[in-house]
Amino acid sequence: MKRIDLNCDMGELPQAIADGTQESLMPSFTSVNVACGGHAGDAQTMQTTIEQALRWKLAVGAHPSYPDRANFGRVELNLSPEAVADSGLPASSRSCGNCRAQRYISDPR
């Protein structure tokens, strides 16, 4: 039988976590990508989102992004490779790596 992965970006809206909206949507998906702090999310929203996803037995992926909270990552930043290297993107990726180290996110390698 063929399967389709129905994925959703989550951990972007703290109010959706607080009021239960985020977790109430989880039964509709097979996997979630967790915002890692660039355009949205922080350590607490990452942890809560991952815990919720695991309760629903969902696959968990990382959603790193450029540091653009003001525009929710929706505008072109025109960053040089050096600026990207110095930006929060590596830190966001490290945050997701920390979740992997805690065995929340599997290593695809």
Side-chain angles (χ1 to χ4, degrees):
M1 173 159 82
K2 294 184 180 186
R3 293 177 170 212
I4 295 175
D5 176 25
L6 189 53
N7 178 273
C8 183
D9 291 346
M10 292 201 158
E12 297 178 327
L13 302 170
Q15 63 271 24
I17 294 171
D19 71 11
T21 301
Q22 174 174 282
E23 189 165 11
S24 73
L25 294 170
M26 288 193 176
S28 302
F29 305 108
T30 55
S31 67
V32 297
N33 287 333
V34 181
C36 292
H39 72 292
D42 58 29
Q44 183 59 52
T45 59
M46 287 174 59
Q47 180 176 341
T48 301
T49 301
I50 291 165
E51 290 170 354
Q52 290 174 346
L54 293 176
R55 268 197 295 276
W56 289 98
K57 297 181 177 28
L58 303 179
V60 177
H63 181 22
S65 60
Y66 295 111
D68 181 27
R69 288 183 177 271
N71 300 294
F72 204 65
R74 302 289 189 241
V75 298
E76 186 174 344
L77 297 179
N78 293 317
L79 299 174
S80 69
E82 295 79 17
V84 171
D86 292 337
S87 76
L89 183 59
S92 297
S93 297
R94 280 192 300 276
S95 295
C96 293
N98 290 340
C99 290
R100 181 173 289 121
Q102 296 173 35
R103 301 189 186 275
Y104 288 134
I105 300 174
S106 62
D107 191 334
R109 291 175 273 165

